[in-house]
Amino acid sequence: MELYTNLRAGEKGAWVSIGTYLFLSAMKLIVGYIGGSEALKADGLNNTTDIIASIAVLIGLKISQRPPDENHRYGHLRAETVASLVASFIMVVVGIEVIINSVMNIINPVRETPSTLTAYVALGGAAIMYVVYRYNLALSKKIKSSALKAAAYDNRSDALVSVGTAVGIFAAIFGFPIIDTITALVIGMLIIKTAFDIFWESAQTLTDAFDTEEIETLATLIKNVDGVIDLVDIKGRTHGNATFIEVTVTVNPDLNVRESHRITEKIEQTIQRFDINCTVLVHIEPHETEKPEELKNNKRAD
């Protein structure tokens, strides 16, 4: 099945992120301590949370590939969403720790000017993360992976954080050491903001929230299917990279079962052209010229 093939391909992006974050976090923490930069150390801690998040995505992708079983009729596709939810809590803890350390350094400032090397390390890290961002974004579009796309945007935010870190370090070098500590404080807030975004998206998915614009697009496509008279109801939910759509339509009541079934196949093909990883359940009802409420009122009048 193409869906599971895409999940396996998505593991490449997760491994690239993990390897890059391992290298950058170690480099930033070591140089940050040696060069005396609170901002670079905070950036390094930010990358350690990204390691955890990437590992969570990798584990989720692996579990998601398990086929449906007796207890999971829809498969295990939501495993990556649960893993992302756990990772968001871990990121919050690290972000709070960075903020506490930054506040303590503001209250009891350390009069140490960071080394120029720390700024260059931050800029180098930004360049590397941008390359990883472009790679993961291209891969996510190729395999249509929402999880990998989210990871790519996280890569991009990390590149921007590293640019901000370099700016703060240069400001400290030119006589404004408090800027370095303030930058670390901002990075801590950005870590928490990223964690909240991941948490919110995961919570929305787990509670079956669905994009209203996508529903409207699908509704328009279904109404244009030959044989469909009216669209009574449409619902959608996501399981990892898969989408499940439930549709109720009315058709000519004089059609036989075979003819009605052809209409359901047309609806399924139409939706799957829009989203290849979509599973569609179509319910056919006979079209009534009068609505049920009107029929009841007419009977009472008689």
Side-chain angles (χ1 to χ4, degrees):
M1 185 178 180
E2 185 174 355
L3 173 62
Y4 294 107
T5 302
N6 289 343
L7 289 172
R8 285 192 292 273
E11 292 182 19
K12 296 178 183 178
W15 277 115
V16 169
S17 293
I18 291 171
T20 304
Y21 284 133
L22 281 170
F23 170 75
L24 290 180
S25 61
M27 180 66 69
K28 290 175 182 177
L29 289 172
I30 292 171
V31 176
Y33 278 107
I34 295 175
S37 172
E38 292 299 321
L40 189 61
K41 287 189 286 185
D43 195 7
L45 285 174
N46 177 34
N47 288 155
T48 61
T49 65
D50 293 318
I51 295 172
I52 298 170
S54 297
I55 290 175
V57 170
L58 179 62
I59 293 174
L61 287 170
K62 286 186 175 294
I63 296 177
S64 295
Q65 295 173 44
R66 295 180 180 177
D69 57 31
E70 185 176 350
N71 295 327
H72 303 85
R73 297 295 185 180
Y74 288 96
H76 300 75
L77 297 171
R78 279 187 171 171
E80 58 179 305
T81 308
V82 175
S84 298
L85 192 67
V86 173
S88 69
F89 292 122
I90 298 173
M91 292 175 69
V92 167
V93 173
V94 175
I96 292 174
E97 182 180 354
V98 171
I99 290 175
I100 292 174
N101 290 336
S102 300
V103 172
M104 294 301 295
N105 286 326
I106 292 175
I107 296 174
N108 301 303
V110 178
R111 304 298 180 182
E112 182 181 359
T113 302
S115 168
T116 306
L117 176 62
T118 59
Y120 291 133
V121 168
L123 287 175
I128 292 172
M129 285 315 307
Y130 183 77
V131 172
V132 175
Y133 155 67
R134 296 300 305 180
Y135 172 79
N136 279 338
L137 183 64
L139 182 59
S140 69
K141 289 180 178 179
K142 180 180 179 181
I143 66 176
K144 297 183 179 180
S145 170
S146 57
L148 193 58
K149 183 179 180 181
Y153 286 141
D154 186 35
N155 298 149
R156 183 180 64 180
S157 68
D158 290 324
L160 295 174
V161 167
S162 293
V163 171
T165 298
V167 171
I169 293 173
F170 278 123
I173 292 173
F174 287 108
F176 302 95
I178 190 65
I179 298 298
D180 183 60
T181 303
I182 292 175
T183 302
L185 180 64
V186 173
I187 289 173
M189 294 177 179
L190 287 175
I191 294 173
I192 293 178
K193 170 65 167 54
T194 302
F196 177 78
D197 290 341
I198 294 174
F199 166 81
W200 181 253
E201 183 176 350
S202 301
Q204 290 290 299
T205 300
L206 292 173
T207 54
D208 287 337
F210 201 77
D211 187 355
T212 54
E213 292 184 1
E214 187 170 341
I215 281 289
E216 291 174 359
T217 300
L218 291 173
T220 301
L221 292 172
I222 293 168
K223 290 177 182 177
N224 291 329
V225 172
D226 186 33
V228 173
I229 297 178
D230 189 22
L231 175 62
V232 179
D233 188 30
I234 179 171
K235 300 174 183 175
R237 54 180 172 168
T238 56
H239 284 236
N241 296 330
T243 305
F244 291 87
I245 300 295
E246 298 178 19
V247 177
T248 301
V249 297
T250 61
V251 299
N252 187 334
D254 296 328
L255 296 179
N256 59 36
V257 174
R258 190 182 300 278
E259 292 169 335
S260 297
H261 180 66
R262 288 199 190 100
I263 295 176
T264 67
E265 290 181 330
K266 291 179 183 178
I267 294 174
E268 291 171 359
Q269 292 168 2
T270 299
I271 294 178
Q272 287 173 348
R273 279 196 295 269
F274 176 81
D275 181 359
I276 194 172
N277 293 326
C278 185
T279 299
V280 188
L281 175 63
V282 182
H283 176 64
I284 294 289
E285 291 184 353
H287 184 74
E288 303 291 349
T289 55
E290 292 181 298
K291 295 182 179 179
E293 292 80 5
E294 295 174 344
L295 290 172
K296 290 180 181 179
N297 292 335
N298 290 338
K299 288 180 179 179
R300 289 172 183 170
D302 292 340

